[in-house]
Amino acid sequence: MAAQTEKKEIVIIGGGIIGCTSAYFLSRHPAYDPSKHRITLLEASKIAGGASGKAGGLLALWAYPRNIVPLSYRLHAELAKEHGGESRWGYRRIHCGQLSAKGRTSQSKGALDSRPATGESVSLNKRDEKALGKVTAAGLPKDLDWFAPECVRSYHEMGDPDTTAQVHPCYFTTAMAELAKEKGVEIILGSVSHIDTSNGEGVRSVTYEDKASKESHTIPATDVIVAAGPWTSRVYPPAPISGMRAHSVTIRPSKPISAYSIFTEISLPPDVGRKDTFLTYKRPHSKTVTPEIYARPNNEAYACGEGDHLVPLPKTTEDVETDLDRCQDIIDYVSSVSDELRDGEVTVRQACYLPNVGASSGGPLIGPTGVKGLLLAAGHTCWGIQNGPGTGKLISEFVFDGKTKSASIGSLDPRRVL
C-alpha cells in the first residue's frame, strides 16, 4: 500500500527493449498514479537504436532463462492482441528449424551487389522429381521451398507455431515507447553521466547531458532502473556487463518466402564469395558457418552471422561501426544455399552490440542491486526481445510491490554477482 500513497520519481536509463517495456508496464501497474508517480526514460541516442532495433525478433518457449520465458512469451501474445501487434509490429506464429546444407558457389549478382536481380528467376515451387526426392529424404517441410534442394542435407524442427513466434524488433520497441508515452511517461534523449546514490545509501538523482542542447541537467529520483544493455557498466560500473558486436543484413527475396526461422549449418565450398577485379584480397572463411535466417512479413528476410570482439564498445549506438566485409560474408553464406536470397535485393547492412553477463551464473540480471532504489535489468544476450515484456512486468512489480509476483527469479538477482 505504501507505493500507492508515496510519491515516486522513477528514472529508466536505456531506450532499448528492456527500458521501453519497463516504462510500458510501470505505467500500467495498478498502483501507478500519474499525480503521484513520475516516470522518465533517458536514452542517449534514439529509441531502439541498438540491438533492440537490429535483432532478429525470434520468440520461443524453448528460449532461456526458463524462469521468465513462459511469462514473457505469454505477454507477447497478450500485447499483440491488445494493441494490434500483427499489423503494428509484425507479430506472428512461425515454424523454426535446424537446417544442414552444403553451399554452392554463387553465380548470380543479385544479392551480392545490392541490386535487384534481372532476367528470369526460377522458382523452387517447380521442383522436378529428383529434387523433390532429395527434399523428402532430408525431412524438409513442403512449404519450406526457398532452399536449393541439391544443397539440403537434413532438417530438424525446433519449434512450431504453438511454441515459436516473431516480431519486428524495431517496430515492437518503438511501439512500447509510444504506448508508455501515452500513459504519461516522459522520454528524454540524453546521456547519463552520474547516478547520485548518497554514498550507497539510496538513489537521490540522475544527471544527464541533453542530446540536442548539450546542457547538463539533474532530475530527482527515488527509483532508478539501469537498462542500458551493453552500455550498462558505463552507467553503473559494478555491473558485470560487456558487449559483443554482431552483424546482420536484410534482403528482399526474389519471391515471397514462407514463415520460418532457420538456424543453419552450411559447409562452404573453397571458392565461396564474390570474385571480381575490384577486390585486392579475399577474406578467409571457416569451412562451416552458421548464419541464422528469419523470414519476415512483407517479403523480407533477416540474416545474421557470428559475433566478434574486434571493435570496442563505442560511446553510443549511433557510433557503432559496421564492417561491410562481414555483412558480405553473411550475404555470401545464405546465397550459397538459397536462390531466392541470392537473387534478392540487399536492403540493409548493419551492426549492433549484444549485452553479455561476465559471471558464471550467466544472465540476465534483474532486480535490486543492494543500493536502495537502484535496480538492474540487463544482460539479456540474444533473447532480449523475447524476454523484454517479462522483464518489464517484473521491474514494475519490484518498484510498486517491493517484490515479484509473476515469476520467481532468485537466480537472476544482481546481488549474487555484484
Side-chain angles (χ1 to χ4, degrees), residues 228-406:
W231 282 270
T232 293
S233 61
R234 299 272 180 91
V235 177
Y236 182 59
I241 308 291
S242 61
M244 178 181 69
R245 189 174 63 162
H247 286 81
S248 58
V249 301
T250 61
I251 300 172
R252 184 175 294 113
S254 59
K255 77 175 186 69
I257 59 177
S258 51
Y260 280 81
S261 288
I262 303 296
F263 290 75
T264 71
E265 184 178 76
I266 303 172
S267 298
L268 296 177
D271 55 350
V272 69
R274 182 175 61 180
K275 292 182 179 178
D276 57 38
T277 57
F278 299 102
L279 293 181
T280 57
Y281 70 95
K282 182 168 169 54
R283 284 169 53 83
H285 299 275
S286 300
K287 292 183 179 179
T288 302
V289 294
T290 56
E292 299 172 18
I293 309 171
Y294 303 156
R296 286 175 169 172
N298 303 318
N299 196 33
E300 180 178 89
Y302 170 96
C304 61
E306 297 178 352
D308 70 81
H309 296 92
L310 298 176
V311 180
L313 186 72
K315 184 177 180 181
T316 72
T317 59
E318 293 179 329
D319 304 311
V320 172
E321 178 183 329
T322 299
D323 185 332
L324 296 181
D325 285 337
R326 289 185 174 272
C327 290
Q328 187 62 48
D329 286 345
I330 299 169
I331 297 165
D332 290 344
Y333 299 160
V334 302
S335 296
S336 75
V337 296
S338 171
D339 294 340
E340 283 74 12
L341 301 181
R342 181 194 66 187
D343 297 335
E345 178 189 2
V346 179
T347 52
V348 174
R349 292 174 170 87
Q350 60 191 6
C352 62
Y353 283 79
L354 299 176
N356 293 318
V357 176
S360 58
S361 61
L365 301 177
I366 305 170
T369 61
V371 177
K372 184 180 178 181
L374 183 62
L375 293 95
L376 198 60
H380 290 70
T381 64
C382 59
W383 291 112
I385 300 298
Q386 150 63 37
N387 291 325
T391 300
K393 176 75 169 178
L394 294 168
I395 286 295
S396 74
E397 293 172 353
F398 273 123
V399 171
F400 284 115
D401 302 318
K403 62 181 180 180
T404 60
K405 297 180 177 180
S406 299

Side-chain angles (χ1 to χ4, degrees), residues 3-4 6-10 26-39 180-186 400:
Q4 298 182 34
E6 66 183 11
K7 289 188 175 182
K8 281 184 174 290
E9 300 281 353
I10 305 166
L26 281 164
S27 64
R28 282 162 173 77
H29 190 282
Y32 171 63
D33 182 348
S35 68
K36 297 185 178 72
H37 309 135
R38 184 168 69 173
I39 304 173
K181 193 173 181 179
E182 289 176 5
K183 290 291 186 178
V185 174
E186 182 180 11
F400 284 115

Side-chain angles (χ1 to χ4, degrees), residues 35-78:
S35 68
K36 297 185 178 72
H37 309 135
R38 184 168 69 173
I39 304 173
T40 303
L41 188 152
L42 294 169
E43 163 53 40
S45 57
K46 67 176 183 178
I47 297 297
S52 297
K54 300 174 180 178
L58 181 64
L59 315 177
L61 272 175
W62 39 269
Y64 61 85
R66 296 299 304 162
N67 47 1
I68 62 172
V69 164
L71 167 66
S72 203
Y73 190 81
R74 173 175 59 81
L75 289 173
H76 267 291
E78 293 176 359

